[in-house]
Coordinates of all heavy atoms in Angstrom, one line a residue:
Q449 N -21.8 42.8 23.1 CA -21.3 41.9 24.1 C -22.4 41.1 24.8 O -22.4 39.9 25.0 CB -20.4 42.6 25.1 CG -19.1 43.0 24.6 CD -18.3 43.8 25.6 OE1 -18.8 44.5 26.4 NE2 -17.0 43.8 25.5
K450 N -23.5 41.9 25.1 CA -24.6 41.3 25.8 C -25.3 40.2 24.9 O -25.6 39.1 25.3 CB -25.6 42.3 26.2 CG -26.9 41.8 26.9 CD -27.8 43.0 27.2 CE -29.2 42.4 27.6 NZ -30.2 43.5 27.7
N451 N -25.5 40.6 23.6 CA -26.1 39.7 22.7 C -25.3 38.4 22.4 O -25.8 37.3 22.4 CB -26.4 40.4 21.3 CG -27.5 41.4 21.5 OD1 -28.3 41.5 22.4 ND2 -27.5 42.4 20.5
L452 N -24.0 38.6 22.3 CA -23.1 37.5 22.1 C -23.1 36.6 23.3 O -23.2 35.3 23.2 CB -21.7 38.0 21.8 CG -20.6 36.9 21.6 CD1 -21.0 36.0 20.4 CD2 -19.2 37.5 21.4
K453 N -23.1 37.2 24.5 CA -23.1 36.4 25.8 C -24.4 35.6 25.8 O -24.4 34.4 26.2 CB -23.0 37.3 27.0 CG -22.9 36.5 28.3 CD -22.6 37.5 29.4 CE -22.5 36.7 30.7 NZ -22.2 37.6 31.9
G454 N -25.5 36.2 25.5 CA -26.8 35.5 25.4 C -26.8 34.4 24.4 O -27.3 33.3 24.7
Y455 N -26.3 34.6 23.2 CA -26.2 33.6 22.2 C -25.4 32.4 22.7 O -25.7 31.3 22.5 CB -25.7 34.2 20.9 CG -25.5 33.2 19.8 CD1 -26.7 32.7 19.1 CD2 -24.3 32.7 19.4 CE1 -26.5 31.7 18.1 CE2 -24.2 31.7 18.4 CZ -25.3 31.3 17.8 OH -25.2 30.3 16.8
M456 N -24.2 32.7 23.3 CA -23.3 31.7 23.8 C -24.0 30.8 24.9 O -23.9 29.6 24.9 CB -22.0 32.2 24.3 CG -21.1 32.8 23.2 SD -20.7 31.6 22.0 CE -19.9 32.6 20.8
G457 N -24.8 31.5 25.7 CA -25.6 30.8 26.7 C -26.6 29.9 26.1 O -26.8 28.8 26.5
D458 N -27.3 30.4 25.0 CA -28.2 29.6 24.3 C -27.6 28.3 23.7 O -28.1 27.2 23.7 CB -28.9 30.4 23.2 CG -29.9 31.4 23.8 OD1 -30.2 31.3 25.0 OD2 -30.4 32.2 23.0
L459 N -26.4 28.6 23.1 CA -25.6 27.4 22.5 C -25.3 26.4 23.6 O -25.4 25.2 23.4 CB -24.4 27.9 21.8 CG -24.5 28.5 20.4 CD1 -23.1 29.0 19.9 CD2 -25.1 27.5 19.5
A460 N -24.8 26.9 24.7 CA -24.4 26.0 25.8 C -25.6 25.2 26.3 O -25.4 24.1 26.8 CB -23.7 26.8 26.9
N461 N -26.8 25.8 26.3 CA -28.0 25.1 26.8 C -28.8 24.4 25.7 O -29.9 24.1 25.9 CB -28.9 26.1 27.6 CG -28.2 26.7 28.8 OD1 -27.6 25.9 29.5 ND2 -28.3 28.0 29.0
L462 N -28.2 24.3 24.5 CA -28.8 23.7 23.4 C -30.1 24.3 23.0 O -31.0 23.6 22.5 CB -29.0 22.2 23.7 CG -27.7 21.4 24.0 CD1 -28.1 19.9 24.3 CD2 -26.7 21.5 22.9
Q463 N -30.2 25.6 23.1 CA -31.4 26.3 22.7 C -31.2 27.1 21.4 O -32.1 27.7 20.9 CB -31.8 27.4 23.8 CG -32.2 26.7 25.1 CD -32.6 27.7 26.2 OE1 -32.6 28.9 25.9 NE2 -32.9 27.2 27.3
S464 N -30.0 27.0 20.8 CA -29.7 27.6 19.6 C -28.6 26.8 18.9 O -27.9 26.0 19.5 CB -29.2 29.0 19.8 OG -29.0 29.7 18.6

Side-chain angles (χ1 to χ4, degrees):
Q449 288 176 332
K450 179 184 170 190
N451 292 343
L452 180 60
K453 187 175 181 180
Y455 178 74
M456 292 301 174
D458 288 348
L459 280 177
N461 295 317
L462 303 177
Q463 294 179 3
S464 183

